[in-house]
Amino acid sequence: MPVEEFVAGWISGAAGLVLGHPFDTVKVRLQTQTTYRGIADCMVRIYRHESLLGFFKGMSFPIASIAVVNSVLFGVYSNALLLLTATSHQERRAQPPSYMHIFLAGCTGGFLQAYCLAPFDLIKVRLQNQTEPRAQPGSPRPRYKGPMHCAASIFQEEGPRGLFRGAWALTLRDTPTMGIYFITYEGLCHQYTPEGQNPSSATVLVAGGFAGIASWVAATPLDVIKSRMQMDGLRYKVYRGMLDCMVSSVRQEGLGVFFRGLTINSARAFPVNAVTFLSYEYLLRWWG
Ligand SMILES: CN(C)C(=N)NCCC[C@H](N)C(=O)O
């Protein structure tokens, strides 16, 4: 089993993550809090109230966990393709796999990474939603002091299952959309690369960027539900389950609720995934 794919997945994921985290914080707030009037209002209020650091809340755990999460995604994807098509990463340029195989391998990677991602994503979302400024004398203290305290409090107050709150929505979000992610990437690279050659850097950047946007457009409805379920355990349990969360969100806010955060997330997805795929491709070529 080629380990390079796992290591390349980790490094490339970390590069994309740092770049996209501020946008991710704005997206999560727009999806779970109804007090903001839009992207600009949310950004200005975070900056005024919490300073630039407010945009980076909840980033340390994703950085630590991206090693597991992205290497599982890319490693499982690549090794699933190896099983399905008996070709390595380099050989696939000359003998491209079918779109069905790419989709199946992407879904497998998405399904397995969702389980590794669930607790880390929950902690990230809880920390991103803390609107209190950094500790100043007299200012209200945030509920969680940091990622470890957040994990320990969830464990104590909501039990071990509490750490997997929203995991179903996350799995349903990631399984098909990771298939879409890799199909878009491979399809665009194939379209704009001469037979048998490696895609150019420009092609990789554009294909990676559009793969990110396409997958997030498909993922946004379940992303909203996932984030709401994750916040639900915090104070009162409003929702009886995922379906109940969907129905009451639509009743209260209309169908538009499923597209909350889509614009900012698409703006985030392009550079993040362009950088992710560029570093992934180059690391593999360098080691290959
Ligand atoms: C749930 N969906 C659609 C995805 N995770 N898509 C793949 C993009 C992954 C990348 N780390 C990002 O955060 O954009």
Side-chain angles (χ1 to χ4, degrees), residues 185 189 192-193 198-209 273-275 277-279 281-282 285:
Y185 175 71
C189 281
Y192 296 103
T193 308
N198 279 322
S200 67
S201 306
T203 305
V204 170
L205 282 170
V206 172
N273 291 288
V275 166
F277 273 107
L278 189 72
S279 35
E281 288 284 347
Y282 274 85
R285 279 183 216 172

Side-chain angles (χ1 to χ4, degrees), residues 25-38 42 45-46 50 125-132 224 227-228 231 234-235 253 260:
T25 302
V26 176
K27 175 205 82 171
V28 167
R29 296 252 180 125
L30 290 175
Q31 287 180 339
T32 53
Q33 303 186 21
T34 42
T35 51
Y36 298 111
R37 271 175 289 124
C42 181
R45 282 166 60 184
I46 294 180
E50 301 159 57
V125 167
R126 293 269 174 106
L127 293 176
Q128 282 176 317
N129 266 311
Q130 301 203 121
T131 51
E132 293 84 359
V224 176
S227 302
R228 291 185 170 204
M231 287 309 292
L234 189 54
R235 280 185 197 100
E253 294 158 66
R260 266 179 190 256

Side-chain angles (χ1 to χ4, degrees), residues 60-61 123 126-127 130 141-158 163 234:
S60 54
F61 242 40
I123 291 160
R126 293 269 174 106
L127 293 176
Q130 301 203 121
R141 282 172 180 245
R143 169 78 188 75
Y144 303 120
K145 288 185 226 139
M148 292 311 288
H149 179 238
C150 179
S153 315
I154 296 175
F155 189 84
Q156 270 168 8
E157 290 157 19
E158 301 166 46
L163 285 169
L234 189 54

Side-chain angles (χ1 to χ4, degrees), residues 70 73 113 173-174 177-178 181 212 215-216 219 268-269 272-273:
N70 240 42
L73 172 65
Q113 72 115 40
R173 182 197 79 172
D174 280 9
T177 55
M178 288 304 184
Y181 184 58
S215 64
W216 277 111
R268 182 196 76 93
V272 167
N273 291 288

Side-chain angles (χ1 to χ4, degrees), residues 31-82:
Q31 287 180 339
T32 53
Q33 303 186 21
T34 42
T35 51
Y36 298 111
R37 271 175 289 124
I39 298 172
D41 180 48
C42 181
M43 285 180 151
V44 169
R45 282 166 60 184
I46 294 180
Y47 181 71
R48 281 214 188 119
H49 196 59
E50 301 159 57
S51 84
L52 261 187
L53 291 174
F55 292 97
F56 290 92
K57 280 186 177 163
M59 195 176 75
S60 54
F61 242 40
I63 294 264
S65 63
I66 195 85
V68 182
V69 174
N70 240 42
S71 64
V72 167
L73 172 65
F74 280 85
V76 170
Y77 167 73
S78 218
N79 284 288
L81 265 187
L82 180 67

